[in-house]
Amino acid sequence: MASFNEDASQFKVLIAGGGLVGLGLALAFERAGIEYELFEKGEFATQLGASIGIHPHTIRILEQLGVWEDIEKQVVPLQRRNHYDGNGHCFEESHVLVDINEILQRPIIFMERCKALEVLHSHVQDRSKLHNRTAVVGYKETPQGVIVTTEDGKQHQGHILIGADGIHSNVRKLMADKISATDQSLAKEINEAFTSEYNCIFAVSRNDPEKQFLPDAMVHNVYYDNYSAVAAAGVYGLVFWFLFVKDSKLTRTPNCPRFTDEDAKATIQRYGSALVGPGYTVKDLWDARVKGTMIPLEEGVIKQWSHNRVVLMGDSVHKSTVNPGLGGNLAYEGIARLTNGLVPLLKENPMPSLEQLTEVFNQYITGQKPRAETVVDLSGQITRYEAQDTWILKFAARHIVPWVSDKLKAKLYASFSRGGPYLEYLPLPAMDADLAKAVEKPTRGISPKLITVMIMGGTAAILWQMNNQNRLLSTFSAFMRQWK
């Protein structure tokens, strides 16, 4: 393991967190030839976390990193999505997932989180840089870099520290502690940036080929009042499912609830009789589970993402509800934005100044934060839409959405997906050659009311390039004015 060396001359990145984001960063830096070390408090490829949804713009990055082929072998691309009411009536049969695949030439998939971690871990060439059971417990900055202390008492020198250690990020807390010395109110905002109003049981269950809950490549959505459920058959023999329940109160970090197995069982006892799809209930899925757990769904974007030589990424800085499956994908956008700034800087100056690093951090934040705010807002709206949180959303789900064509929904989603960044320092797949020539257009914010309409796409329909959608914007805006 690396030791402290004040005279170290090679630029090194220290990464806290060895989940999907941390391992993605490791691969991105390895492919760029940037020295790094990664510290994970637990084991790699842990069974914690049931599933992960991967969207086309993230698949593009995974292709660039050389890992998509191994992931693709394990999954069944999602194709059909049926929407049900609590009585088992299917009020919408959607082929939007097929249309998205046709437009973008890449699917939306679900897979076991541990299998995705295994693939990423297996593609790291120098695994001596990956340290498990080695949590980051402190750091201090010097004029030349940053020194991290791990739980075994050892110190490790680098030049920047990336906090990719999730919603319960210790690096975020440590950074807030540093900030509190000069700005206590900002530190408080960082520590209390996330709220939770919905809870989720997420699980993986056996999908017996002889008696399937739902066919392969199928998604079932069911809508109740103040709760909902989703099941997706994205891997042969398995079904990934989620039960979303509105809590009786809104909580804020660091006081969001932590749930036990007994809490999960009590929730299943209360909602277990609810149908998810034709002929099967929440309890049926629970009884067939391979693994499952209950968590709060935190939501939010923190105000400040970096401080001196420390920068945050992924769930440590932006957290969205999981209904549309965009959170992990948003984190991979962050990987692209940060490394796209760091790689050319290090080629120009192998030992950049703090001012130069701060400029790269600011570029990453400027590019990522508006996108993060949109995804967090949209995801929350989808959660509330599927749980029919208001009569307007319930009316829209039953009487408006089914009349919006899948082609239109797919086009809206594709506009959003195409806006995702890629790794500019690695070759693009041939099908994306035009991206390198494209001039990025400025994007505009999207109002929450407009998002409420756009979530009717059922997956992640977003108007990202609003300036290219003037006629559609006018139609949506006119509709929304009726509800003011």
Side-chain angles (χ1 to χ4, degrees):
M1 187 174 290
S3 60
F4 174 73
N5 178 7
E6 187 66 44
D7 298 323
S9 57
Q10 186 174 8
F11 187 90
K12 180 187 282 189
V13 179
L14 304 179
I15 304 169
L20 293 169
V21 183
L23 290 175
L25 280 166
L27 289 170
F29 288 134
E30 194 169 68
R31 301 298 187 267
I34 296 175
E35 186 68 20
Y36 74 92
E37 278 195 280
L38 184 151
F39 307 97
E40 164 57 35
K41 67 178 181 180
E43 298 289 348
F44 294 108
T46 175
Q47 291 291 322
L48 295 175
S51 61
I52 178 71
I54 302 178
H55 286 241
H57 46 292
T58 300
I59 291 174
R60 181 172 59 211
I61 294 173
L62 295 176
E63 287 181 82
Q64 289 186 282
L65 293 173
V67 303
W68 168 244
E69 185 175 344
D70 285 348
I71 290 176
E72 188 177 21
K73 295 174 184 175
Q74 303 185 32
V75 301
V76 182
L78 300 176
Q79 295 182 1
R80 292 177 294 159
R81 188 169 193 169
N82 287 355
H83 301 259
Y84 299 91
D85 65 20
N87 296 317
H89 169 67
C90 182
F91 59 84
E92 181 182 4
E93 293 184 6
S94 173
H95 294 83
V96 67
L97 297 168
V98 173
D99 292 332
I100 288 170
N101 198 343
E102 289 179 356
I103 294 172
L104 297 176
Q105 296 299 298
R106 291 185 176 97
I108 294 175
I109 68 160
F110 257 103
M111 70 182 300
E112 288 184 273
R113 196 179 193 91
C114 62
K115 296 299 183 182
L117 289 167
E118 285 176 6
V119 171
L120 294 172
H121 186 268
S122 71
H123 279 265
V124 176
Q125 296 172 8
D126 185 357
R127 293 177 205 161
S128 68
K129 297 176 181 178
L130 307 179
H131 311 296
N132 61 339
R133 298 191 300 276
T134 312
V136 171
V137 297
Y139 74 85
K140 63 180 180 180
E141 296 180 80
T142 70
Q144 292 77 33
V146 60
I147 301 169
V148 159
T149 302
T150 49
E151 61 184 345
D152 55 9
K154 294 182 179 180
Q155 292 186 321
H156 311 267
Q157 182 187 13
H159 296 90
I160 63 171
L161 168 62
I162 301 178
D165 48 346
I167 184 62
H168 303 295
S169 171
N170 194 43
V171 173
R172 184 183 66 233
K173 182 180 182 301
L174 293 169
M175 188 185 86
D177 289 344
K178 304 283 187 186
I179 291 173
S180 68
T182 56
D183 193 336
Q184 291 186 356
S185 63
L186 175 58
K188 186 174 186 291
E189 283 187 69
I190 292 172
N191 286 325
E192 299 179 0
F194 304 99
T195 61
S196 174
E197 190 177 19
Y198 278 78
N199 303 322
C200 175
I201 290 179
F202 63 96
V204 180
S205 295
R206 292 176 292 276
N207 198 24
D208 186 348
E210 300 299 321
K211 190 179 179 181
Q212 290 183 312
F213 290 112
L214 68 171
D216 294 326
M218 170 66 84
V219 181
H220 286 166
N221 277 73
V222 62
Y223 299 67
Y224 293 92
D225 292 341
N226 295 319
Y227 70 103
S228 66
V230 179
V235 171
Y236 293 116
L238 296 176
V239 55
F240 306 105
W241 60 276
F242 307 81
L243 173 65
F244 305 99
V245 179
K246 187 174 183 178
D247 207 327
S248 59
K249 61 181 179 179
L250 183 144
T251 56
R252 184 176 293 277
T253 52
N255 299 314
C256 293
R258 297 288 188 99
F259 297 109
T260 65
D261 290 343
E262 293 305 313
D263 294 322
K265 291 176 183 177
T267 302
I268 293 297
Q269 186 173 5
R270 181 175 180 182
Y271 297 97
S273 62
L275 288 170
V276 179
Y280 71 98
T281 66
V282 169
K283 181 66 161 52
D284 293 331
L285 289 170
W286 179 257
D287 289 343
R289 73 189 182 281
V290 177
K291 53 191 170 184
T293 192
M294 184 172 177
I295 60 168
L297 296 181
E298 298 95 344
E299 306 173 67
V301 179
I302 73 170
K303 185 174 182 177
Q304 183 162 322
W305 295 26
S306 68
H307 180 65
N308 295 334
R309 291 179 179 268
V310 178
V311 63
L312 303 176
M313 182 170 292
D315 285 355
S316 70
V317 71
H318 45 65
K319 186 70 167 65
S320 60
T321 57
V322 303
N323 295 59
L326 288 170
N329 297 270
L330 186 62
Y332 269 70
E333 296 181 34
I335 291 173
R337 293 186 197 280
L338 181 61
T339 53
N340 284 344
L342 196 57
V343 169
L345 173 63
L346 294 177
K347 285 183 178 179
E348 180 181 337
N349 186 347
M351 193 57 62
S353 66
L354 175 59
E355 290 73 21
Q356 290 172 313
L357 291 169
T358 299
E359 184 177 350
V360 167
F361 291 169
N362 288 340
Q363 289 174 352
Y364 150 66
I365 295 165
T366 300
Q368 185 74 355
K369 196 171 185 180
R371 180 97 163 175
E373 289 170 342
T374 295
V375 167
V376 169
D377 198 351
L378 170 68
S379 298
Q381 292 284 357
I382 291 177
T383 299
R384 289 157 180 83
Y385 168 77
E386 293 180 353
Q388 301 180 138
D389 193 80
T390 68
W391 71 268
I392 294 176
L393 295 178
K394 185 173 183 176
F395 178 83
R398 304 301 175 83
H399 303 290
I400 299 176
V401 178
W403 295 98
V404 180
S405 74
D406 288 340
K407 294 290 185 183
L408 175 57
K409 295 170 186 174
K411 287 179 181 178
L412 293 172
Y413 172 81
S415 178
F416 164 78
S417 185
R418 287 182 177 130
Y422 58 91
L423 300 172
E424 296 172 359
Y425 56 93
L426 291 179
L428 275 167
M431 63 183 290
D432 299 301
D434 289 345
L435 282 177
K437 304 174 185 177
V439 177
E440 185 174 344
K441 297 180 180 180
T443 59
R444 302 180 189 176
I446 306 173
S447 74
K449 286 189 176 181
L450 186 56
I451 287 175
T452 300
V453 176
M454 293 186 299
I455 63 173
M456 297 172 188
T459 174
I462 291 182
L463 285 174
W464 185 251
Q465 296 287 352
M466 295 299 298
N467 54 324
N468 292 331
Q469 304 285 348
N470 289 333
R471 184 180 300 174
L472 192 57
L473 174 59
S474 297
T475 302
F476 277 128
S477 297
F479 172 81
M480 288 312 303
R481 282 195 293 270
Q482 298 178 36
W483 305 109
K484 286 186 178 180

